[in-house]
Amino acid sequence: MQKEIKVAIIEDEHEIRQLMTLIIDGSPGYSCKQSFDNCEDALLNLAADPPDVVLMDIDLPGISGIEGVRKLKEKMPGTDFLMLTVQDDDESIFNSVCVGATGYLLKDTPPAEILKAVEDVNKGGSPMSASIARRIVSSFKAENSTSLSEREIEILRHLCNGENYKVIAEKLHISGHTVRSHFKNIYKKLQVSTKAEAVKKAINERII
Amino acid sequence: MQKEIKVAIIEDEHEIRQLMTLIIDGSPGYSCKQSFDNCEDALLNLAADPPDVVLMDIDLPGISGIEGVRKLKEKMPGTDFLMLTVQDDDESIFNSVCVGATGYLLKDTPPAEILKAVEDVNKGGSPMSASIARRIVSSFKAENSTSLSEREIEILRHLCNGENYKVIAEKLHISGHTVRSHFKNIYKKLQVSTKAEAVKKAINERII
DNA sequence: TATAGAATACCGCATATGGGTGATTGAAGC
DNA sequence: GCTTCAATCACCCATATGCGGTATTCTATA
């Protein structure tokens, strides 16, 4: 058997924290010697003996779990963070993974699956509750069908590289006037009126 | 028990296809009455009786599995696609989820887990092999270290909404001059020189 | 306490940009 | 043969933008 997986818990509700601690510490292959009811204490004490995996709640008094991951991750880059929360809104999910959480479980996850998730994280995976995974995967899906012509997409691509009309015109061997005409049509089709919006839309809708 | 989950397989290797068909069709709660060794045939026949889940290989003769998902998804928007492939490069993974695959398994996944994944997909999840999930989650992680101040990030956010200096100034109750000063600093820090580039960088590096 | 950085504010200048309008050409489709 | 549309080019005008400066205030933090 491999080395025991060292787990820490940050969770403000005593009952849940104690229950989780008991479950983890009582399971062979896992240990949980550190638990906190807020991020501030964790920030002061956790880095002294970094765990392999941290189970992190989001709705905490003081520093939120998301902010906590960001700060703790700096001190313990080798530790994986697994969110364990009731929050299932997009903002919480995406902010969590953006700051470095490697997994995201909802609190209705049965204990056996939480243990499996901890092991999974430790092995290099990213366990997520089914609905969370779906949302993350869906976020990649292209919302196709913007009726931009080939040429317009080409120009949009140049725009995204920060090139101005003149440069684009030179690269495409057309006049600046033409580039501007294309831009006007692109703006109309994308329903925007500035370069900034066009770039945003181009990236978010994966046109480019 | 719920309705049987109807599964279809698209996989060019006969042995694997037959084996998978047998495993799925032989498992209670699952049926597999349709299997193809290429996307072309699937495109002609599958939509007549859309399955719940399609297990899709990527490396196929003719139309690739990724292109196949894109085309089939148009015809059968209610069907979920689960990639089952040896390809574990970033391009395959991200292209798959971008065209609409809802799960991604590597071929070394044991049959029991494949069955579980099919069920998971059908329930609204997005099963992924551990290393795949990690890669997708990691793709969100902000490569921090853009030392933008809070205020600068706030201004960048407004920029991404297509607002110009004047509008941003009004919204933040500061003068246009100040907004422009902030922009200068933002450009310096991001090493860009236009709004378009700034927006691109802001989105790609998830600063906003 | 000294220093750095953040946020604020201002000036001037050359150029880029967005809006409006209009025209020609060639290929695709009816 | 006619229509439509993408692609090309053109002009006018008001404003926005990027770049070069300079300066004050406040707050961390070394």
Side-chain angles (χ1 to χ4, degrees), chain A residues 9-13 16-17 20 56-60 83-88 104-111 114 129 132:
Chain A
I9 296 177
I10 303 175
E11 158 68 59
D12 61 331
E13 281 189 57
I16 298 180
R17 191 172 71 252
M20 284 306 309
M56 176 73 92
D57 188 23
I58 287 183
D59 184 23
L60 296 169
M83 310 309 282
L84 183 58
T85 175
V86 289
Q87 319 287 135
D88 72 340
Y104 199 109
L105 301 181
L106 295 176
K107 277 198 176 158
D108 60 6
T109 308
I114 294 180
S129 296
I132 305 296

PDB file of all heavy atoms in Angstrom, chain A residues 9-13 16-17 20 56-60 83-88 104-111 114 129 132:
ATOM      1  N   ILE A   9      -9.068  19.623   6.698  1.00  0.00           N
ATOM      2  CA  ILE A   9     -10.429  20.083   6.439  1.00  0.00           C
ATOM      3  C   ILE A   9     -10.595  21.526   6.902  1.00  0.00           C
ATOM      4  O   ILE A   9     -10.140  21.883   7.986  1.00  0.00           O
ATOM      5  CB  ILE A   9     -11.451  19.215   7.193  1.00  0.00           C
ATOM      6  CG1 ILE A   9     -11.400  17.790   6.658  1.00  0.00           C
ATOM      7  CG2 ILE A   9     -12.857  19.785   7.037  1.00  0.00           C
ATOM      8  CD1 ILE A   9     -12.320  16.848   7.394  1.00  0.00           C
ATOM      9  N   ILE A  10     -11.214  22.317   6.055  1.00  0.00           N
ATOM     10  CA  ILE A  10     -11.564  23.668   6.451  1.00  0.00           C
ATOM     11  C   ILE A  10     -13.059  23.816   6.226  1.00  0.00           C
ATOM     12  O   ILE A  10     -13.530  23.759   5.084  1.00  0.00           O
ATOM     13  CB  ILE A  10     -10.774  24.720   5.647  1.00  0.00           C
ATOM     14  CG1 ILE A  10      -9.277  24.465   5.824  1.00  0.00           C
ATOM     15  CG2 ILE A  10     -11.142  26.134   6.121  1.00  0.00           C
ATOM     16  CD1 ILE A  10      -8.391  25.360   4.993  1.00  0.00           C
ATOM     17  N   GLU A  11     -13.776  23.952   7.321  1.00  0.00           N
ATOM     18  CA  GLU A  11     -15.247  23.883   7.283  1.00  0.00           C
ATOM     19  C   GLU A  11     -15.747  24.493   8.582  1.00  0.00           C
ATOM     20  O   GLU A  11     -15.287  24.128   9.665  1.00  0.00           O
ATOM     21  CB  GLU A  11     -15.649  22.393   7.182  1.00  0.00           C
ATOM     22  CG  GLU A  11     -17.047  22.046   7.632  1.00  0.00           C
ATOM     23  CD  GLU A  11     -18.095  22.619   6.697  1.00  0.00           C
ATOM     24  OE1 GLU A  11     -18.061  22.274   5.508  1.00  0.00           O
ATOM     25  OE2 GLU A  11     -18.930  23.416   7.177  1.00  0.00           O
ATOM     26  N   ASP A  12     -16.666  25.436   8.475  1.00  0.00           N
ATOM     27  CA  ASP A  12     -17.051  26.154   9.693  1.00  0.00           C
ATOM     28  C   ASP A  12     -18.086  25.443  10.555  1.00  0.00           C
ATOM     29  O   ASP A  12     -18.153  25.689  11.758  1.00  0.00           O
ATOM     30  CB  ASP A  12     -17.496  27.588   9.368  1.00  0.00           C
ATOM     31  CG  ASP A  12     -18.707  27.609   8.458  1.00  0.00           C
ATOM     32  OD1 ASP A  12     -18.851  26.659   7.665  1.00  0.00           O
ATOM     33  OD2 ASP A  12     -19.493  28.555   8.541  1.00  0.00           O
ATOM     34  N   GLU A  13     -18.857  24.538   9.957  1.00  0.00           N
ATOM     35  CA  GLU A  13     -19.854  23.854  10.794  1.00  0.00           C
ATOM     36  C   GLU A  13     -19.214  22.700  11.567  1.00  0.00           C
ATOM     37  O   GLU A  13     -18.737  21.729  10.978  1.00  0.00           O
ATOM     38  CB  GLU A  13     -21.006  23.345   9.933  1.00  0.00           C
ATOM     39  CG  GLU A  13     -21.991  24.453   9.570  1.00  0.00           C
ATOM     40  CD  GLU A  13     -23.227  23.873   8.913  1.00  0.00           C
ATOM     41  OE1 GLU A  13     -23.876  23.012   9.544  1.00  0.00           O
ATOM     42  OE2 GLU A  13     -23.520  24.255   7.776  1.00  0.00           O
ATOM     43  N   ILE A  16     -20.297  18.941  10.803  1.00  0.00           N
ATOM     44  CA  ILE A  16     -19.792  18.414   9.534  1.00  0.00           C
ATOM     45  C   ILE A  16     -18.289  18.189   9.614  1.00  0.00           C
ATOM     46  O   ILE A  16     -17.769  17.152   9.197  1.00  0.00           O
ATOM     47  CB  ILE A  16     -20.102  19.388   8.373  1.00  0.00           C
ATOM     48  CG1 ILE A  16     -21.620  19.538   8.224  1.00  0.00           C
ATOM     49  CG2 ILE A  16     -19.479  18.888   7.083  1.00  0.00           C
ATOM     50  CD1 ILE A  16     -22.043  20.465   7.104  1.00  0.00           C
ATOM     51  N   ARG A  17     -17.602  19.160  10.204  1.00  0.00           N
ATOM     52  CA  ARG A  17     -16.153  19.055  10.271  1.00  0.00           C
ATOM     53  C   ARG A  17     -15.749  17.813  11.067  1.00  0.00           C
ATOM     54  O   ARG A  17     -14.887  17.041  10.642  1.00  0.00           O
ATOM     55  CB  ARG A  17     -15.553  20.308  10.901  1.00  0.00           C
ATOM     56  CG  ARG A  17     -14.053  20.376  10.755  1.00  0.00           C
ATOM     57  CD  ARG A  17     -13.458  21.698  11.190  1.00  0.00           C
ATOM     58  NE  ARG A  17     -13.500  21.889  12.626  1.00  0.00           N
ATOM     59  CZ  ARG A  17     -14.305  22.746  13.233  1.00  0.00           C
ATOM     60  NH1 ARG A  17     -15.157  23.475  12.539  1.00  0.00           N
ATOM     61  NH2 ARG A  17     -14.298  22.864  14.551  1.00  0.00           N
ATOM     62  N   MET A  20     -16.634  14.573   9.173  1.00  0.00           N
ATOM     63  CA  MET A  20     -15.704  14.312   8.073  1.00  0.00           C
ATOM     64  C   MET A  20     -14.343  13.876   8.605  1.00  0.00           C
ATOM     65  O   MET A  20     -13.712  12.971   8.055  1.00  0.00           O
ATOM     66  CB  MET A  20     -15.534  15.579   7.217  1.00  0.00           C
ATOM     67  CG  MET A  20     -16.695  15.900   6.289  1.00  0.00           C
ATOM     68  SD  MET A  20     -17.129  14.516   5.202  1.00  0.00           S
ATOM     69  CE  MET A  20     -15.532  14.110   4.525  1.00  0.00           C
ATOM     70  N   MET A  56     -12.156  21.804   1.252  1.00  0.00           N
ATOM     71  CA  MET A  56     -12.421  23.207   1.547  1.00  0.00           C
ATOM     72  C   MET A  56     -13.883  23.584   1.330  1.00  0.00           C
ATOM     73  O   MET A  56     -14.440  23.342   0.260  1.00  0.00           O
ATOM     74  CB  MET A  56     -11.524  24.051   0.628  1.00  0.00           C
ATOM     75  CG  MET A  56     -11.719  25.537   0.707  1.00  0.00           C
ATOM     76  SD  MET A  56     -11.071  26.246   2.231  1.00  0.00           S
ATOM     77  CE  MET A  56      -9.396  26.675   1.695  1.00  0.00           C
ATOM     78  N   ASP A  57     -14.475  24.159   2.342  1.00  0.00           N
ATOM     79  CA  ASP A  57     -15.816  24.713   2.206  1.00  0.00           C
ATOM     80  C   ASP A  57     -15.683  26.083   1.540  1.00  0.00           C
ATOM     81  O   ASP A  57     -14.594  26.654   1.503  1.00  0.00           O
ATOM     82  CB  ASP A  57     -16.445  24.852   3.602  1.00  0.00           C
ATOM     83  CG  ASP A  57     -17.910  25.227   3.525  1.00  0.00           C
ATOM     84  OD1 ASP A  57     -18.536  24.966   2.476  1.00  0.00           O
ATOM     85  OD2 ASP A  57     -18.440  25.767   4.515  1.00  0.00           O
ATOM     86  N   ILE A  58     -16.759  26.616   0.990  1.00  0.00           N
ATOM     87  CA  ILE A  58     -16.674  27.942   0.365  1.00  0.00           C
ATOM     88  C   ILE A  58     -17.243  29.020   1.267  1.00  0.00           C
ATOM     89  O   ILE A  58     -16.602  30.044   1.506  1.00  0.00           O
ATOM     90  CB  ILE A  58     -17.398  27.960  -1.007  1.00  0.00           C
ATOM     91  CG1 ILE A  58     -16.562  27.184  -2.029  1.00  0.00           C
ATOM     92  CG2 ILE A  58     -17.590  29.406  -1.488  1.00  0.00           C
ATOM     93  CD1 ILE A  58     -17.129  27.189  -3.423  1.00  0.00           C
ATOM     94  N   ASP A  59     -18.419  28.786   1.785  1.00  0.00           N
ATOM     95  CA  ASP A  59     -19.071  29.806   2.600  1.00  0.00           C
ATOM     96  C   ASP A  59     -18.516  29.790   4.024  1.00  0.00           C
ATOM     97  O   ASP A  59     -19.028  29.095   4.897  1.00  0.00           O
ATOM     98  CB  ASP A  59     -20.588  29.541   2.603  1.00  0.00           C
ATOM     99  CG  ASP A  59     -21.325  30.640   3.360  1.00  0.00           C
ATOM    100  OD1 ASP A  59     -20.773  31.754   3.474  1.00  0.00           O
ATOM    101  OD2 ASP A  59     -22.440  30.367   3.851  1.00  0.00           O
ATOM    102  N   LEU A  60     -17.460  30.536   4.232  1.00  0.00           N
ATOM    103  CA  LEU A  60     -16.805  30.570   5.542  1.00  0.00           C
ATOM    104  C   LEU A  60     -16.846  31.978   6.098  1.00  0.00           C
ATOM    105  O   LEU A  60     -16.892  32.949   5.341  1.00  0.00           O
ATOM    106  CB  LEU A  60     -15.339  30.139   5.397  1.00  0.00           C
ATOM    107  CG  LEU A  60     -15.076  28.706   4.932  1.00  0.00           C
ATOM    108  CD1 LEU A  60     -13.611  28.534   4.579  1.00  0.00           C
ATOM    109  CD2 LEU A  60     -15.489  27.718   6.013  1.00  0.00           C
ATOM    110  N   MET A  83     -12.889  21.296  -3.350  1.00  0.00           N
ATOM    111  CA  MET A  83     -13.977  22.055  -2.769  1.00  0.00           C
ATOM    112  C   MET A  83     -15.090  21.084  -2.360  1.00  0.00           C
ATOM    113  O   MET A  83     -15.414  20.146  -3.089  1.00  0.00           O
ATOM    114  CB  MET A  83     -14.537  23.088  -3.755  1.00  0.00           C
ATOM    115  CG  MET A  83     -13.500  23.980  -4.429  1.00  0.00           C
ATOM    116  SD  MET A  83     -12.332  24.785  -3.313  1.00  0.00           S
ATOM    117  CE  MET A  83     -13.338  26.130  -2.671  1.00  0.00           C
ATOM    118  N   LEU A  84     -15.648  21.341  -1.185  1.00  0.00           N
ATOM    119  CA  LEU A  84     -16.752  20.520  -0.694  1.00  0.00           C
ATOM    120  C   LEU A  84     -17.769  21.509  -0.160  1.00  0.00           C
ATOM    121  O   LEU A  84     -17.590  22.067   0.920  1.00  0.00           O
ATOM    122  CB  LEU A  84     -16.261  19.585   0.409  1.00  0.00           C
ATOM    123  CG  LEU A  84     -17.288  18.612   0.991  1.00  0.00           C
ATOM    124  CD1 LEU A  84     -17.871  17.724  -0.080  1.00  0.00           C
ATOM    125  CD2 LEU A  84     -16.647  17.752   2.081  1.00  0.00           C
ATOM    126  N   THR A  85     -18.810  21.741  -0.937  1.00  0.00           N
ATOM    127  CA  THR A  85     -19.670  22.876  -0.643  1.00  0.00           C
ATOM    128  C   THR A  85     -21.106  22.662  -1.099  1.00  0.00           C
ATOM    129  O   THR A  85     -21.378  21.748  -1.874  1.00  0.00           O
ATOM    130  CB  THR A  85     -19.106  24.135  -1.340  1.00  0.00           C
ATOM    131  OG1 THR A  85     -19.976  25.225  -1.157  1.00  0.00           O
ATOM    132  CG2 THR A  85     -18.939  23.896  -2.833  1.00  0.00           C
ATOM    133  N   VAL A  86     -21.980  23.503  -0.619  1.00  0.00           N
ATOM    134  CA  VAL A  86     -23.360  23.463  -1.106  1.00  0.00           C
ATOM    135  C   VAL A  86     -23.546  24.377  -2.316  1.00  0.00           C
ATOM    136  O   VAL A  86     -24.504  24.238  -3.064  1.00  0.00           O
ATOM    137  CB  VAL A  86     -24.385  23.908  -0.030  1.00  0.00           C
ATOM    138  CG1 VAL A  86     -24.497  22.871   1.060  1.00  0.00           C
ATOM    139  CG2 VAL A  86     -24.014  25.261   0.542  1.00  0.00           C
ATOM    140  N   GLN A  87     -22.600  25.301  -2.498  1.00  0.00           N
ATOM    141  CA  GLN A  87     -22.726  26.268  -3.597  1.00  0.00           C
ATOM    142  C   GLN A  87     -22.641  25.549  -4.936  1.00  0.00           C
ATOM    143  O   GLN A  87     -21.632  24.922  -5.227  1.00  0.00           O
ATOM    144  CB  GLN A  87     -21.578  27.284  -3.573  1.00  0.00           C
ATOM    145  CG  GLN A  87     -21.175  27.792  -2.222  1.00  0.00           C
ATOM    146  CD  GLN A  87     -22.192  28.744  -1.657  1.00  0.00           C
ATOM    147  OE1 GLN A  87     -22.540  28.648  -0.503  1.00  0.00           O
ATOM    148  NE2 GLN A  87     -22.693  29.632  -2.477  1.00  0.00           N
ATOM    149  N   ASP A  88     -23.667  25.670  -5.757  1.00  0.00           N
ATOM    150  CA  ASP A  88     -23.519  25.063  -7.080  1.00  0.00           C
ATOM    151  C   ASP A  88     -23.794  26.079  -8.189  1.00  0.00           C
ATOM    152  O   ASP A  88     -24.216  25.730  -9.275  1.00  0.00           O
ATOM    153  CB  ASP A  88     -24.390  23.816  -7.227  1.00  0.00           C
ATOM    154  CG  ASP A  88     -25.851  24.176  -7.335  1.00  0.00           C
ATOM    155  OD1 ASP A  88     -26.209  25.300  -6.930  1.00  0.00           O
ATOM    156  OD2 ASP A  88     -26.621  23.344  -7.835  1.00  0.00           O
ATOM    157  N   TYR A 104     -14.257  19.453  -7.270  1.00  0.00           N
ATOM    158  CA  TYR A 104     -15.383  20.223  -6.763  1.00  0.00           C
ATOM    159  C   TYR A 104     -16.528  19.266  -6.464  1.00  0.00           C
ATOM    160  O   TYR A 104     -17.142  18.722  -7.374  1.00  0.00           O
ATOM    161  CB  TYR A 104     -15.808  21.251  -7.805  1.00  0.00           C
ATOM    162  CG  TYR A 104     -16.648  22.397  -7.276  1.00  0.00           C
ATOM    163  CD1 TYR A 104     -16.121  23.680  -7.176  1.00  0.00           C
ATOM    164  CD2 TYR A 104     -17.973  22.202  -6.901  1.00  0.00           C
ATOM    165  CE1 TYR A 104     -16.879  24.742  -6.716  1.00  0.00           C
ATOM    166  CE2 TYR A 104     -18.751  23.260  -6.435  1.00  0.00           C
ATOM    167  CZ  TYR A 104     -18.195  24.533  -6.347  1.00  0.00           C
ATOM    168  OH  TYR A 104     -18.948  25.589  -5.897  1.00  0.00           O
ATOM    169  N   LEU A 105     -16.791  19.073  -5.184  1.00  0.00           N
ATOM    170  CA  LEU A 105     -17.865  18.161  -4.794  1.00  0.00           C
ATOM    171  C   LEU A 105     -18.971  18.921  -4.086  1.00  0.00           C
ATOM    172  O   LEU A 105     -18.724  19.867  -3.347  1.00  0.00           O
ATOM    173  CB  LEU A 105     -17.328  17.091  -3.832  1.00  0.00           C
ATOM    174  CG  LEU A 105     -16.199  16.194  -4.331  1.00  0.00           C
ATOM    175  CD1 LEU A 105     -15.839  15.187  -3.233  1.00  0.00           C
ATOM    176  CD2 LEU A 105     -16.591  15.467  -5.601  1.00  0.00           C
ATOM    177  N   LEU A 106     -20.189  18.484  -4.304  1.00  0.00           N
ATOM    178  CA  LEU A 106     -21.313  19.067  -3.584  1.00  0.00           C
ATOM    179  C   LEU A 106     -21.472  18.305  -2.274  1.00  0.00           C
ATOM    180  O   LEU A 106     -21.070  17.149  -2.156  1.00  0.00           O
ATOM    181  CB  LEU A 106     -22.580  18.980  -4.435  1.00  0.00           C
ATOM    182  CG  LEU A 106     -22.507  19.821  -5.714  1.00  0.00           C
ATOM    183  CD1 LEU A 106     -23.753  19.617  -6.566  1.00  0.00           C
ATOM    184  CD2 LEU A 106     -22.336  21.301  -5.371  1.00  0.00           C
ATOM    185  N   LYS A 107     -22.070  18.979  -1.297  1.00  0.00           N
ATOM    186  CA  LYS A 107     -22.104  18.374   0.031  1.00  0.00           C
ATOM    187  C   LYS A 107     -23.024  17.164   0.143  1.00  0.00           C
ATOM    188  O   LYS A 107     -23.010  16.470   1.163  1.00  0.00           O
ATOM    189  CB  LYS A 107     -22.487  19.434   1.070  1.00  0.00           C
ATOM    190  CG  LYS A 107     -21.268  20.245   1.505  1.00  0.00           C
ATOM    191  CD  LYS A 107     -21.487  20.986   2.816  1.00  0.00           C
ATOM    192  CE  LYS A 107     -20.210  21.696   3.254  1.00  0.00           C
ATOM    193  NZ  LYS A 107     -20.479  22.803   4.188  1.00  0.00           N
ATOM    194  N   ASP A 108     -23.820  16.921  -0.886  1.00  0.00           N
ATOM    195  CA  ASP A 108     -24.667  15.723  -0.818  1.00  0.00           C
ATOM    196  C   ASP A 108     -23.912  14.482  -1.274  1.00  0.00           C
ATOM    197  O   ASP A 108     -24.488  13.410  -1.415  1.00  0.00           O
ATOM    198  CB  ASP A 108     -25.950  15.924  -1.632  1.00  0.00           C
ATOM    199  CG  ASP A 108     -25.661  16.193  -3.108  1.00  0.00           C
ATOM    200  OD1 ASP A 108     -24.480  16.113  -3.521  1.00  0.00           O
ATOM    201  OD2 ASP A 108     -26.609  16.478  -3.850  1.00  0.00           O
ATOM    202  N   THR A 109     -22.612  14.651  -1.526  1.00  0.00           N
ATOM    203  CA  THR A 109     -21.807  13.501  -1.937  1.00  0.00           C
ATOM    204  C   THR A 109     -21.657  12.528  -0.767  1.00  0.00           C
ATOM    205  O   THR A 109     -21.273  12.935   0.331  1.00  0.00           O
ATOM    206  CB  THR A 109     -20.408  13.968  -2.387  1.00  0.00           C
ATOM    207  OG1 THR A 109     -20.558  14.997  -3.364  1.00  0.00           O
ATOM    208  CG2 THR A 109     -19.600  12.823  -2.959  1.00  0.00           C
ATOM    209  N   PRO A 110     -21.955  11.227  -0.991  1.00  0.00           N
ATOM    210  CA  PRO A 110     -21.810  10.264   0.105  1.00  0.00           C
ATOM    211  C   PRO A 110     -20.349  10.105   0.521  1.00  0.00           C
ATOM    212  O   PRO A 110     -19.441  10.243  -0.310  1.00  0.00           O
ATOM    213  CB  PRO A 110     -22.354   8.957  -0.485  1.00  0.00           C
ATOM    214  CG  PRO A 110     -22.716   9.218  -1.893  1.00  0.00           C
ATOM    215  CD  PRO A 110     -22.484  10.648  -2.216  1.00  0.00           C
ATOM    216  N   PRO A 111     -20.114   9.819   1.806  1.00  0.00           N
ATOM    217  CA  PRO A 111     -18.754   9.711   2.335  1.00  0.00           C
ATOM    218  C   PRO A 111     -17.839   8.810   1.517  1.00  0.00           C
ATOM    219  O   PRO A 111     -16.676   9.170   1.271  1.00  0.00           O
ATOM    220  CB  PRO A 111     -18.984   9.114   3.729  1.00  0.00           C
ATOM    221  CG  PRO A 111     -20.324   9.607   4.122  1.00  0.00           C
ATOM    222  CD  PRO A 111     -21.131   9.666   2.858  1.00  0.00           C
ATOM    223  N   ILE A 114     -16.589  10.688  -1.316  1.00  0.00           N
ATOM    224  CA  ILE A 114     -15.641  11.736  -0.931  1.00  0.00           C
ATOM    225  C   ILE A 114     -14.257  11.132  -0.750  1.00  0.00           C
ATOM    226  O   ILE A 114     -13.255  11.663  -1.228  1.00  0.00           O
ATOM    227  CB  ILE A 114     -16.099  12.453   0.353  1.00  0.00           C
ATOM    228  CG1 ILE A 114     -17.405  13.217   0.081  1.00  0.00           C
ATOM    229  CG2 ILE A 114     -15.017  13.420   0.848  1.00  0.00           C
ATOM    230  CD1 ILE A 114     -17.962  13.962   1.272  1.00  0.00           C
ATOM    231  N   SER A 129     -18.634  16.452  -8.821  1.00  0.00           N
ATOM    232  CA  SER A 129     -19.998  15.950  -8.825  1.00  0.00           C
ATOM    233  C   SER A 129     -20.488  16.015 -10.261  1.00  0.00           C
ATOM    234  O   SER A 129     -20.073  16.883 -11.030  1.00  0.00           O
ATOM    235  CB  SER A 129     -20.884  16.801  -7.929  1.00  0.00           C
ATOM    236  OG  SER A 129     -20.443  16.703  -6.591  1.00  0.00           O
ATOM    237  N   ILE A 132     -21.555  19.273 -11.767  1.00  0.00           N
ATOM    238  CA  ILE A 132     -20.445  20.227 -11.865  1.00  0.00           C
ATOM    239  C   ILE A 132     -19.613  19.933 -13.101  1.00  0.00           C
ATOM    240  O   ILE A 132     -19.284  20.834 -13.883  1.00  0.00           O
ATOM    241  CB  ILE A 132     -19.544  20.131 -10.611  1.00  0.00           C
ATOM    242  CG1 ILE A 132     -20.361  20.316  -9.332  1.00  0.00           C
ATOM    243  CG2 ILE A 132     -18.396  21.134 -10.692  1.00  0.00           C
ATOM    244  CD1 ILE A 132     -20.992  21.665  -9.182  1.00  0.00           C
TER     245      ILE A 132
END
